[in-house]
Amino acid sequence: MADARRAPLKDQTDISGARALIVEARFYDDIQDALLEGAVAELKAAGVTHDVITVPGALEIPAAIAIALDAADRNGKPYDAAIALGCVVRGDTIHFEIVSIESSRALMDLAVARKMPLGNGIITVNTDEQAWARARASELNKGGDAARAALAMLRIKRRLAKV
Protein backbone atom coordinates (compact mmCIF):
# COMPACT_ATOMS: atom_id res chain seq x y z
CA MET A 1 0.00 0.00 0.00
CA ALA A 2 1.32 3.43 -0.92
CA ASP A 3 1.95 5.92 1.85
CA ALA A 4 -0.63 8.68 2.12
CA ARG A 5 0.64 12.09 1.11
CA ARG A 6 -1.28 14.99 2.54
CA ALA A 7 -0.24 18.45 1.52
CA PRO A 8 -1.14 20.95 4.22
CA LEU A 9 -3.92 23.27 3.17
CA LYS A 10 -3.17 26.93 3.73
CA ASP A 11 -6.71 28.31 3.45
CA GLN A 12 -7.76 29.35 6.95
CA THR A 13 -11.13 30.89 6.03
CA ASP A 14 -13.30 30.81 9.14
CA ILE A 15 -15.88 28.03 9.08
CA SER A 16 -16.61 27.83 12.79
CA GLY A 17 -20.31 27.52 13.46
CA ALA A 18 -20.96 25.68 10.20
CA ARG A 19 -23.25 22.64 10.12
CA ALA A 20 -22.21 19.39 8.52
CA LEU A 21 -24.15 16.26 7.71
CA ILE A 22 -22.54 12.85 8.00
CA VAL A 23 -24.32 9.98 6.27
CA GLU A 24 -22.83 6.64 7.18
CA ALA A 25 -23.51 3.15 5.84
CA ARG A 26 -23.53 0.69 8.74
CA PHE A 27 -22.75 -2.43 6.71
CA TYR A 28 -19.52 -3.08 8.67
CA ASP A 29 -20.19 -1.68 12.16
CA ASP A 30 -16.68 -1.87 13.58
CA ILE A 31 -15.00 -0.35 10.52
CA GLN A 32 -17.71 2.29 10.40
CA ASP A 33 -17.02 3.23 14.02
CA ALA A 34 -13.40 3.98 13.07
CA LEU A 35 -14.37 6.03 9.99
CA LEU A 36 -16.91 8.02 12.00
CA GLU A 37 -14.40 8.67 14.79
CA GLY A 38 -11.94 10.21 12.33
CA ALA A 39 -14.56 12.40 10.68
CA VAL A 40 -16.06 13.66 13.93
CA ALA A 41 -12.63 14.56 15.33
CA GLU A 42 -11.92 16.77 12.28
CA LEU A 43 -15.29 18.51 12.51
CA LYS A 44 -14.89 19.20 16.22
CA ALA A 45 -11.37 20.56 15.67
CA ALA A 46 -12.78 22.98 13.08
CA GLY A 47 -15.65 24.14 15.32
CA VAL A 48 -18.24 22.58 13.01
CA THR A 49 -21.38 20.94 14.43
CA HIS A 50 -22.77 17.83 12.80
CA ASP A 51 -25.68 15.44 12.52
CA VAL A 52 -25.33 11.76 11.69
CA ILE A 53 -27.77 9.75 9.60
CA THR A 54 -27.31 6.00 9.25
CA VAL A 55 -28.31 4.01 6.17
CA PRO A 56 -27.99 0.29 5.38
CA GLY A 57 -25.35 0.46 2.64
CA ALA A 58 -23.23 2.69 0.43
CA LEU A 59 -25.78 2.86 -2.39
CA GLU A 60 -28.25 4.56 -0.06
CA ILE A 61 -25.86 7.34 0.99
CA PRO A 62 -26.40 9.78 -1.93
CA ALA A 63 -30.20 9.61 -1.70
CA ALA A 64 -30.10 10.09 2.07
CA ILE A 65 -27.87 13.15 1.66
CA ALA A 66 -30.27 14.64 -0.91
CA ILE A 67 -33.30 13.95 1.29
CA ALA A 68 -31.59 15.44 4.36
CA LEU A 69 -30.43 18.54 2.46
CA ASP A 70 -33.97 19.21 1.25
CA ALA A 71 -35.43 18.72 4.73
CA ALA A 72 -32.82 20.96 6.34
CA ASP A 73 -33.47 23.70 3.77
CA ARG A 74 -37.24 23.47 4.33
CA ASN A 75 -36.70 23.73 8.09
CA GLY A 76 -34.50 26.80 7.74
CA LYS A 77 -31.41 24.98 9.05
CA PRO A 78 -29.39 24.19 5.92
CA TYR A 79 -26.24 22.11 6.02
CA ASP A 80 -23.01 23.74 4.89
CA ALA A 81 -21.22 20.49 4.01
CA ALA A 82 -21.78 16.76 3.81
CA ILE A 83 -19.61 13.72 4.43
CA ALA A 84 -20.28 10.22 3.10
CA LEU A 85 -18.80 7.33 5.09
CA GLY A 86 -18.92 3.65 4.26
CA CYS A 87 -16.94 0.57 3.35
CA VAL A 88 -17.24 -1.71 0.34
CA VAL A 89 -15.19 -4.92 0.40
CA ARG A 90 -14.66 -6.82 -2.84
CA GLY A 91 -16.49 -10.12 -3.02
CA ASP A 92 -16.88 -12.83 -5.64
CA THR A 93 -19.37 -10.97 -7.85
CA ILE A 94 -19.52 -7.69 -9.76
CA HIS A 95 -21.62 -6.15 -6.97
CA PHE A 96 -18.45 -4.47 -5.63
CA GLU A 97 -17.97 -2.56 -8.88
CA ILE A 98 -21.60 -1.52 -9.06
CA VAL A 99 -21.68 -0.21 -5.49
CA SER A 100 -18.27 1.48 -5.72
CA ILE A 101 -18.81 3.20 -9.04
CA GLU A 102 -22.45 4.14 -8.64
CA SER A 103 -22.15 5.53 -5.13
CA SER A 104 -19.15 7.67 -6.16
CA ARG A 105 -20.87 8.85 -9.33
CA ALA A 106 -24.02 9.80 -7.43
CA LEU A 107 -22.02 11.69 -4.80
CA MET A 108 -20.15 13.64 -7.47
CA ASP A 109 -23.39 14.45 -9.29
CA LEU A 110 -24.94 15.61 -6.02
CA ALA A 111 -21.98 17.79 -5.04
CA VAL A 112 -21.83 19.50 -8.44
CA ALA A 113 -25.58 19.94 -8.88
CA ARG A 114 -26.07 21.34 -5.37
CA LYS A 115 -22.71 23.15 -5.20
CA MET A 116 -22.31 21.32 -1.89
CA PRO A 117 -18.95 20.78 -0.23
CA LEU A 118 -18.94 17.00 0.05
CA GLY A 119 -16.27 14.60 1.27
CA ASN A 120 -16.41 11.05 -0.06
CA GLY A 121 -15.24 8.68 2.64
CA ILE A 122 -16.60 5.49 1.14
CA ILE A 123 -13.58 3.23 1.18
CA THR A 124 -13.36 0.51 -1.45
CA VAL A 125 -11.02 -2.34 -0.62
CA ASN A 126 -10.09 -5.92 -1.43
CA THR A 127 -9.73 -7.18 2.14
CA ASP A 128 -10.73 -6.47 5.72
CA GLU A 129 -7.10 -5.69 6.51
CA GLN A 130 -7.08 -2.94 3.87
CA ALA A 131 -10.34 -1.59 5.30
CA TRP A 132 -8.88 -1.36 8.80
CA ALA A 133 -5.72 0.35 7.56
CA ARG A 134 -7.83 2.98 5.82
CA ALA A 135 -10.40 3.39 8.61
CA ARG A 136 -8.24 3.71 11.72
CA ALA A 137 -7.46 7.29 12.72
CA SER A 138 -3.99 6.10 13.72
CA GLU A 139 -3.32 4.87 10.18
CA LEU A 140 -4.75 6.34 6.93
CA ASN A 141 -7.79 7.95 8.62
CA LYS A 142 -10.04 8.08 5.56
CA GLY A 143 -12.98 9.28 7.66
CA GLY A 144 -10.87 12.24 8.74
CA ASP A 145 -9.73 12.74 5.14
CA ALA A 146 -13.34 12.92 3.95
CA ALA A 147 -14.17 15.50 6.61
CA ARG A 148 -11.05 17.53 5.74
CA ALA A 149 -12.02 17.47 2.06
CA ALA A 150 -15.54 18.72 2.82
CA LEU A 151 -14.16 21.44 5.11
CA ALA A 152 -11.58 22.50 2.51
CA MET A 153 -14.34 22.89 -0.07
CA LEU A 154 -16.48 24.80 2.44
CA ARG A 155 -13.60 27.22 3.03
CA ILE A 156 -13.29 27.76 -0.73
CA LYS A 157 -17.05 28.33 -1.04
CA ARG A 158 -17.10 30.85 1.81
CA ARG A 159 -13.97 32.66 0.63
CA LEU A 160 -15.29 33.00 -2.94
CA ALA A 161 -18.68 34.17 -1.70
CA LYS A 162 -16.93 37.25 -0.32
CA VAL A 163 -15.31 38.14 -3.66
Side-chain angles (χ1 to χ4, degrees), residues 6 22 47 51 75 86 92 94 126 128 136 152:
R6 290 187 189 104
I22 298 173
D51 294 324
N75 293 326
D92 295 330
I94 66 165
N126 292 314
D128 288 346
R136 285 187 187 109

mmCIF file of all heavy atoms in Angstrom, residues 6 22 47 51 75 86 92 94 126 128 136 152:
data_model
loop_
_atom_site.group_PDB
_atom_site.id
_atom_site.type_symbol
_atom_site.label_atom_id
_atom_site.label_comp_id
_atom_site.label_asym_id
_atom_site.label_seq_id
_atom_site.Cartn_x
_atom_site.Cartn_y
_atom_site.Cartn_z
ATOM 1 N N ARG A 6 -0.334 13.907 2.317
ATOM 2 C CA ARG A 6 -1.280 14.989 2.542
ATOM 3 C C ARG A 6 -0.542 16.303 2.534
ATOM 4 O O ARG A 6 0.262 16.571 3.411
ATOM 5 C CB ARG A 6 -1.986 14.823 3.877
ATOM 6 C CG ARG A 6 -2.938 13.677 3.910
ATOM 7 C CD ARG A 6 -3.719 13.679 5.217
ATOM 8 N NE ARG A 6 -4.471 12.453 5.316
ATOM 9 C CZ ARG A 6 -4.140 11.442 6.096
ATOM 10 N NH1 ARG A 6 -3.094 11.515 6.864
ATOM 11 N NH2 ARG A 6 -4.866 10.348 6.113
ATOM 12 N N ILE A 22 -23.253 14.095 8.260
ATOM 13 C CA ILE A 22 -22.543 12.846 7.995
ATOM 14 C C ILE A 22 -23.593 11.792 7.708
ATOM 15 O O ILE A 22 -24.509 11.586 8.509
ATOM 16 C CB ILE A 22 -21.692 12.386 9.198
ATOM 17 C CG1 ILE A 22 -20.607 13.410 9.533
ATOM 18 C CG2 ILE A 22 -21.074 11.018 8.917
ATOM 19 C CD1 ILE A 22 -19.846 13.107 10.811
ATOM 20 N N GLY A 47 -14.536 23.396 14.744
ATOM 21 C CA GLY A 47 -15.650 24.137 15.322
ATOM 22 C C GLY A 47 -16.929 23.987 14.532
ATOM 23 O O GLY A 47 -17.781 24.876 14.534
ATOM 24 N N ASP A 51 -24.645 16.450 12.304
ATOM 25 C CA ASP A 51 -25.678 15.443 12.525
ATOM 26 C C ASP A 51 -25.226 14.189 11.802
ATOM 27 O O ASP A 51 -24.520 14.265 10.793
ATOM 28 C CB ASP A 51 -27.025 15.890 11.943
ATOM 29 C CG ASP A 51 -27.598 17.103 12.667
ATOM 30 O OD1 ASP A 51 -27.430 17.203 13.893
ATOM 31 O OD2 ASP A 51 -28.217 17.949 11.989
ATOM 32 N N ASN A 75 -36.600 23.390 6.679
ATOM 33 C CA ASN A 75 -36.704 23.730 8.095
ATOM 34 C C ASN A 75 -35.892 24.964 8.474
ATOM 35 O O ASN A 75 -35.818 25.320 9.650
ATOM 36 C CB ASN A 75 -36.269 22.541 8.962
ATOM 37 C CG ASN A 75 -37.233 21.383 8.846
ATOM 38 O OD1 ASN A 75 -38.429 21.573 8.687
ATOM 39 N ND2 ASN A 75 -36.710 20.175 8.919
ATOM 40 N N GLY A 86 -18.511 5.036 4.428
ATOM 41 C CA GLY A 86 -18.919 3.652 4.258
ATOM 42 C C GLY A 86 -17.741 2.796 3.851
ATOM 43 O O GLY A 86 -16.630 3.293 3.657
ATOM 44 N N ASP A 92 -17.054 -11.939 -4.487
ATOM 45 C CA ASP A 92 -16.878 -12.828 -5.638
ATOM 46 C C ASP A 92 -17.714 -12.438 -6.849
ATOM 47 O O ASP A 92 -17.659 -13.103 -7.880
ATOM 48 C CB ASP A 92 -17.250 -14.260 -5.230
ATOM 49 C CG ASP A 92 -16.315 -14.820 -4.179
ATOM 50 O OD1 ASP A 92 -15.131 -14.423 -4.166
ATOM 51 O OD2 ASP A 92 -16.768 -15.648 -3.361
ATOM 52 N N ILE A 94 -19.741 -9.058 -9.284
ATOM 53 C CA ILE A 94 -19.518 -7.688 -9.761
ATOM 54 C C ILE A 94 -20.231 -6.644 -8.897
ATOM 55 O O ILE A 94 -20.146 -5.452 -9.168
ATOM 56 C CB ILE A 94 -19.935 -7.512 -11.234
ATOM 57 C CG1 ILE A 94 -21.448 -7.686 -11.400
ATOM 58 C CG2 ILE A 94 -19.143 -8.449 -12.129
ATOM 59 C CD1 ILE A 94 -21.970 -7.182 -12.714
ATOM 60 N N ASN A 126 -10.077 -4.490 -1.093
ATOM 61 C CA ASN A 126 -10.093 -5.918 -1.435
ATOM 62 C C ASN A 126 -10.232 -6.813 -0.210
ATOM 63 O O ASN A 126 -10.742 -7.923 -0.316
ATOM 64 C CB ASN A 126 -8.820 -6.295 -2.197
ATOM 65 C CG ASN A 126 -8.789 -5.664 -3.565
ATOM 66 O OD1 ASN A 126 -9.762 -5.693 -4.303
ATOM 67 N ND2 ASN A 126 -7.657 -5.073 -3.903
ATOM 68 N N ASP A 128 -10.451 -7.110 4.436
ATOM 69 C CA ASP A 128 -10.735 -6.474 5.721
ATOM 70 C C ASP A 128 -9.504 -5.752 6.252
ATOM 71 O O ASP A 128 -9.623 -4.680 6.848
ATOM 72 C CB ASP A 128 -11.197 -7.512 6.746
ATOM 73 C CG ASP A 128 -12.596 -8.036 6.482
ATOM 74 O OD1 ASP A 128 -13.330 -7.419 5.671
ATOM 75 O OD2 ASP A 128 -12.973 -9.056 7.094
ATOM 76 N N ARG A 136 -8.795 3.303 10.419
ATOM 77 C CA ARG A 136 -8.238 3.714 11.718
ATOM 78 C C ARG A 136 -7.647 5.126 11.654
ATOM 79 O O ARG A 136 -6.866 5.443 10.772
ATOM 80 C CB ARG A 136 -7.154 2.753 12.163
ATOM 81 C CG ARG A 136 -7.666 1.444 12.657
ATOM 82 C CD ARG A 136 -6.528 0.614 13.247
ATOM 83 N NE ARG A 136 -7.003 -0.715 13.576
ATOM 84 C CZ ARG A 136 -6.661 -1.810 12.909
ATOM 85 N NH1 ARG A 136 -5.826 -1.757 11.882
ATOM 86 N NH2 ARG A 136 -7.137 -2.974 13.273
ATOM 87 N N ALA A 152 -12.392 21.728 3.458
ATOM 88 C CA ALA A 152 -11.582 22.503 2.508
ATOM 89 C C ALA A 152 -12.479 23.125 1.442
ATOM 90 O O ALA A 152 -12.316 24.301 1.081
ATOM 91 C CB ALA A 152 -10.511 21.629 1.872
#
